[in-house]
Amino acid sequence: MRRTQGNAAEPGARPDHFLGKGSGSVRASARIQKRRSRFRGASINFFYLPAVLLLIVFIIYPLISGIRLSLTNWDGYSDAQSFVGLANYKQMLTDANFKQIVINTFIYGIGSTAIQQVLGLALALMLNKRIKGRTLWRAIIYLPALVAPVIMGIMYYFVFQYRQGALNAFLGIFGIHKIAWFNNAGLSVAIVVIVNSIQFVGVSMIIYLAGLQTMDQQVVEAAEVDGAYGWKKFWNITLPLLAPSFTTSVVLNLIGGLKLYDMIKVLTGGGPGYATNSVSTYISTVYFDNQAAGYASAIGVFLFVLIAVVTWLINKGLAKLDWEA
């Protein structure tokens, strides 16, 4: 047979049109793979979108709106708004009630935090031991934290009420005259601090219990072998190991105390006068009673900055002591 020369294909060779088509598909596949590899790590960012949207809608947008309103004289009801610059912030410096209200806010924050740390840690140390019914006691102590502050305030209002209050009725058994608990400003502030501490001491207890139960027992046992017991063991071993729990509990309780609102509204209503108001309750008073939404917004911005700065300072101070969470 005669072989045709010229168009005869080499063994194993592919037609030119096939090579062209194949190389194009290979290049397209390579581009797709490159694109997939580029977005493979970034695709996880799409899972952040719901959280980012919630952050924008419920935190960032209200904050920006509040700052904008704080620069106006809006009354909270009409459509009329006039730009007044920093006038509302200057008014805070001349407000006769504002200084006492800021002091009250710090008393609520620092006082409640201090009481909750002492009682919470003591309860955690006690209920971390193998005692009968400790699970029940933990539940009883933590239960008030699950109750709404409004309900808690109403309950204790009937405890401290003048005419038919449970406390005055109890004191009457011993011949002690009734006390007008809410007529004295200092006493009213102390009652708010105590009630708030009673409600949320269980939160501190749970945080410290978690710290105690995750503590490195080898360090504790080594300290006991070296003769560390009682106060010496607590101060040198237990307390330093509870540093992260301490920081967490302090920051959470301090923020809660500085923005306290519900308890004050129900127990004292901010009275007598403005004597027991916190910054949070004063905002509602200025907005609804005085119809000064612009000034109320300025106070709200002040409260935001106050909590942010205090929290930052607390974390900074504890970090220097190597007690950061």
Side-chain angles (χ1 to χ4, degrees):
M1 296 178 63
R2 184 182 297 177
R3 290 190 177 185
T4 57
Q5 298 181 7
N7 290 335
E10 294 290 336
R14 295 183 180 180
D16 292 341
H17 70 278
F18 185 80
L19 283 172
K21 184 178 180 181
S23 61
S25 63
V26 169
R27 285 194 297 270
S29 178
R31 285 196 299 269
I32 293 172
Q33 290 296 331
K34 186 177 181 180
R35 193 178 297 114
R36 286 178 178 175
S37 63
R38 184 185 304 169
F39 290 102
R40 185 176 295 119
S43 62
I44 191 67
N45 294 327
F46 290 110
F47 291 97
Y48 301 148
L49 285 178
V52 172
L53 289 175
L54 290 174
L55 182 68
I56 293 173
V57 172
F58 293 104
I59 296 180
I60 296 179
Y61 175 73
L63 177 61
I64 295 173
S65 298
I67 295 173
R68 182 183 63 81
L69 289 174
S70 70
L71 304 175
T72 68
N73 62 351
W74 187 44
D75 62 4
Y77 300 97
S78 66
D79 295 331
Q81 293 184 18
S82 299
F83 181 78
V84 296
L86 299 178
N88 289 322
Y89 293 94
K90 293 179 182 178
Q91 184 178 346
M92 282 191 285
L93 300 176
T94 58
D95 191 332
N97 302 309
F98 194 70
K99 181 180 178 180
Q100 183 59 48
I101 287 166
V102 173
I103 293 173
N104 289 346
T105 301
F106 276 106
I107 292 174
Y108 295 140
I110 297 173
S112 298
T113 300
I115 294 173
Q116 288 173 56
Q117 301 324 299
V118 174
L119 291 180
L121 181 56
L123 291 168
L125 291 169
M126 181 180 68
L127 296 177
N128 193 48
K129 297 179 180 179
R130 297 185 177 277
I131 60 176
K132 187 176 181 180
R134 65 176 181 174
T135 303
L136 178 61
W137 282 110
R138 290 175 185 175
I140 292 173
I141 294 170
Y142 184 74
L143 187 61
L146 302 178
V147 178
V150 172
I151 303 300
M152 194 76 174
I154 292 173
M155 290 169 55
Y156 276 90
Y157 173 78
F158 287 109
V159 171
F160 292 101
Q161 194 182 29
Y162 176 73
R163 294 187 179 277
Q164 299 177 344
L167 185 55
N168 279 336
F170 176 77
L171 294 176
I173 298 175
F174 302 97
I176 301 175
H177 294 290
K178 293 180 179 180
I179 300 174
W181 300 97
F182 295 124
N183 283 0
N184 181 281
L187 197 56
S188 298
V189 170
I191 290 172
V192 172
V193 171
I194 292 170
V195 174
N196 185 58
S197 300
I198 291 173
Q199 179 170 16
F200 294 107
V201 70
V203 176
S204 296
M205 179 195 70
I206 292 297
I207 293 173
Y208 286 124
L209 272 174
L212 289 169
Q213 292 174 2
T214 57
M215 192 178 294
D216 190 349
Q217 294 302 316
Q218 292 182 350
V219 176
V220 178
E221 292 171 1
E224 291 176 350
V225 170
D226 291 338
Y229 288 96
W231 177 255
K232 185 178 180 181
K233 173 186 172 183
F234 170 77
W235 186 256
N236 294 294
I237 305 298
T238 304
L239 197 57
L241 290 177
L242 285 175
S245 300
F246 178 82
T247 302
T248 302
S249 181
V250 166
V251 171
L252 288 177
N253 290 326
L254 187 59
I255 292 174
L258 289 175
K259 63 184 183 69
L260 192 62
Y261 176 84
D262 315 62
M263 192 72 67
I264 302 169
K265 274 295 184 181
V266 175
L267 275 176
T268 68
Y274 291 95
T276 60
N277 267 297
S278 67
V279 175
S280 294
T281 58
Y282 193 54
I283 291 172
S284 68
T285 300
V286 169
Y287 189 109
F288 295 107
D289 296 350
N290 301 345
Q291 297 184 5
Y295 184 39
S297 298
I299 299 173
V301 173
F302 168 82
L303 179 61
F304 172 80
V305 174
L306 175 68
I307 293 176
V309 170
V310 170
T311 303
W312 180 79
L313 289 174
I314 291 293
N315 280 315
K316 196 77 172 177
L318 293 175
K320 288 184 178 180
L321 297 173
D322 292 328
W323 276 37
E324 68 276 7

